[in-house]
């Protein structure tokens, strides 16, 4: 008989310690919108007495520059962020730079291939655009893939295309993917309608965001993902990836996006609101986050 009185109530199985993360991509300078989402992530980690992990999402080497990595760390520290694991300090789930984690992504890709969850796709962006009949949803930039290559290659793929190809995840058409968001409540997205088959491995050999994110959040034992509301649809895609990889998804908390005076969401091109610029102008981090 199990003696419950000897079990630790903080047992990592029954009640895993909260682990949150900040996962910036060094494709430009961080701006106030990132800072606000990250601040929520940090506050939630602290409120739960948990850990906050910094991960450097630097896979997209065509878009990221080394100077942005340094700037990113500096800007985060200046703003008041503190992390207990990260590319600068290491930790038990190192490395924390995605560019150094290719073996993890490759293993996941192989698992998806073996399970028949993905198929090679030789379509170019232009092919996809011209095959699309319906406009894509406002909140998600990726057009719904028309399924052109779905049946072209036998699955699991024994015979691969000779032209350049990416790997796409076959979504279960019509299935409702639901999850309870910590901020927005119950979410229901229909596979094949709200989002289509998505790329997990790009034709240039780089793992796509959806895959690298799931692989790392799972490997780093993240218990709650705090991110912008622009990623709600991606969260549904990622839930499918967790399932295919035999992993349990974390909890999710999506934050409202910060908008400029014209109602447009902040992007890295809003230089006036970059943390660099604000700091150079003599603004204080405390004041900037007052009221958050
Ligand atoms: N590196 C990704 C980004 O900056 C992370 C998004 C996420 O939080 O999953 O968009
Ligand atoms: Zn295709």
């Amino acid at each position: 008989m199990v003696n419950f009185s000897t079990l630790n109530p903080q047992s990592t199985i029954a009640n895993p310690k909260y682990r949150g993360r900040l996962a910036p991509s060094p494709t430009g300078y961080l701006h106030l919108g990132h800072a606000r989402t990250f601040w929520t992530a940090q506050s939630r980690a602290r409120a739960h007495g948990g850990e906050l992990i910094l991960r450097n999402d630097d896979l997209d080497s065509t878009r990221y520059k080394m100077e942005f990595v340094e700037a990113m760390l500096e800007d985060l520290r200046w703003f008041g962020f503190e992390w207990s694991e990260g590319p600068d300090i290491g930790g038990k789930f190192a490395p924390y730079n995605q560019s150094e984690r290719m073996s993890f992504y490759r293993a996941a890709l192989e698992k998806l291939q073996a399970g028949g969850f993905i198929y090679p796709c030789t379509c170019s962006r232009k092919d996809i655009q011209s095959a699309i009949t319906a406009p894509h949803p406002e909140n998600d930039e990726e057009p719904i893939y028309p399924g052109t290559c779905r049946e072209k290659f036998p699955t699991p793929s024994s015979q691969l295309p000779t032209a350049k190809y990416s790997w796409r995840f076959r979504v279960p058409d019509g299935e409702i993917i639901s999850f309870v968001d910590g901020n927005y409540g119950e979410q229901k997205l229909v596979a094949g309608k709200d989002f289509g088959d998505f790329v997990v491995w790009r034709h240039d050999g780089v793992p796509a965001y959806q895959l690298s994110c799931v692989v790392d959040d799972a490997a780093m034992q993240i218990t709650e993902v705090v991110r912008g509301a622009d990623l709600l649809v991606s969260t549904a895609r990622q839930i499918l990836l967790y399932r295919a990889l035999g992993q349990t998804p974390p909890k999710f908390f999506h934050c409202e996006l910060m908008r400029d005076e014209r109602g447009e969401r902040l992007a890295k091109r809003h230089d006036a609101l970059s943390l660099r610029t604000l700091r150079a102008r003599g603004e204080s981090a405390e004041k900037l986050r007052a009221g958050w």
Side-chain angles (χ1 to χ4, degrees):
M1 203 176 117
V2 181
N3 180 354
F4 288 99
S5 63
T6 60
L7 290 179
N8 178 356
Q10 295 294 326
S11 154
T12 50
I13 297 158
N15 182 18
K17 194 174 159 103
Y18 184 104
R19 287 175 60 82
R21 48 69 153 182
L22 309 178
S25 303
T27 52
Y29 295 122
L30 294 176
H31 58 65
L32 213 48
H34 296 114
R36 191 162 80 169
T37 300
F38 292 168
W39 198 253
T40 304
Q42 175 159 292
S43 306
R44 290 186 63 77
R46 285 187 177 170
H48 287 85
E51 303 286 332
L52 188 67
I53 286 89
L54 176 66
R55 189 179 74 219
N56 173 23
D57 284 3
D58 62 349
L59 276 180
D60 198 348
S61 57
T62 52
R63 286 171 63 224
Y64 99 85
K65 296 198 186 75
M66 205 54 215
E67 60 172 296
F68 291 135
V69 179
E70 279 308 311
M72 193 166 85
L73 294 172
E74 198 181 291
D75 293 348
L76 288 171
R77 281 191 212 105
W78 170 74
F79 202 81
F81 290 105
E82 290 175 82
W83 48 93
S84 52
E85 296 164 36
D88 53 336
I89 49 175
K92 58 183 170 186
F93 297 101
Y96 293 89
N97 293 313
Q98 288 199 320
S99 57
E100 296 169 48
R101 301 179 59 81
M102 284 301 286
S103 57
F104 293 87
Y105 312 135
R106 246 183 253 289
L109 178 74
E110 281 163 20
K111 205 164 174 181
L112 294 174
Q113 283 166 339
F117 291 104
I118 54 176
Y119 59 89
C121 169
T122 52
C123 298
S124 67
R125 194 174 283 257
K126 220 170 114 225
D127 293 337
I128 296 169
Q129 286 296 350
S130 60
I132 287 162
T133 48
H136 54 84
E138 274 272 295
N139 58 346
D140 192 47
E141 282 150 23
E142 187 168 324
I144 301 214
Y145 180 68
T148 324
C149 297
R150 258 194 176 189
E151 313 305 334
K152 265 197 204 161
F153 305 96
T155 322
S157 309
S158 45
Q159 172 197 330
L160 291 170
T162 44
K164 268 197 167 184
Y165 62 92
S166 57
W167 286 98
R168 256 179 215 278
F169 188 92
R170 184 193 313 267
V171 305
D173 283 333
E175 186 182 324
I176 298 168
I177 311 302
S178 63
F179 62 96
V180 180
D181 182 71
N183 190 23
Y184 291 101
E186 178 150 56
Q187 303 295 308
K188 285 181 193 292
L189 292 118
V190 181
K193 191 166 152 265
D194 293 319
F195 61 94
D197 292 357
F198 55 91
V199 173
V200 296
W201 203 270
R202 298 177 357 187
H203 63 77
D204 58 359
V206 178
Y209 155 69
Q210 310 295 354
L211 184 67
S212 60
C213 184
V214 164
V215 167
D216 287 346
D217 287 337
M220 295 177 181
Q221 297 179 10
I222 301 304
T223 62
E224 183 179 74
V225 167
V226 176
R227 54 164 65 128
D230 56 328
L231 292 171
L232 273 163
V233 182
S234 276
T235 293
R237 296 185 182 103
Q238 292 178 18
I239 286 172
L240 289 173
L241 280 178
Y242 280 101
R243 187 165 83 188
L245 292 168
Q247 301 273 3
T248 310
K251 291 186 172 136
F252 296 98
F253 187 103
H254 290 80
C255 303
E256 217 170 292
L257 297 178
M258 208 176 223
R259 295 184 184 275
D260 68 8
E261 54 291 340
R262 289 192 318 229
E264 257 184 69
R265 70 184 218 218
L266 293 196
K268 283 175 179 151
R269 62 178 185 278
H270 283 78
D271 193 47
L273 291 172
S274 76
L275 298 184
R276 298 254 111 174
T277 308
L278 293 165
R279 179 180 167 191
R281 247 199 252 150
E283 304 268 2
S284 91
E286 290 74 17
K287 266 208 193 121
L288 290 170
R289 59 175 192 254
W292 283 4

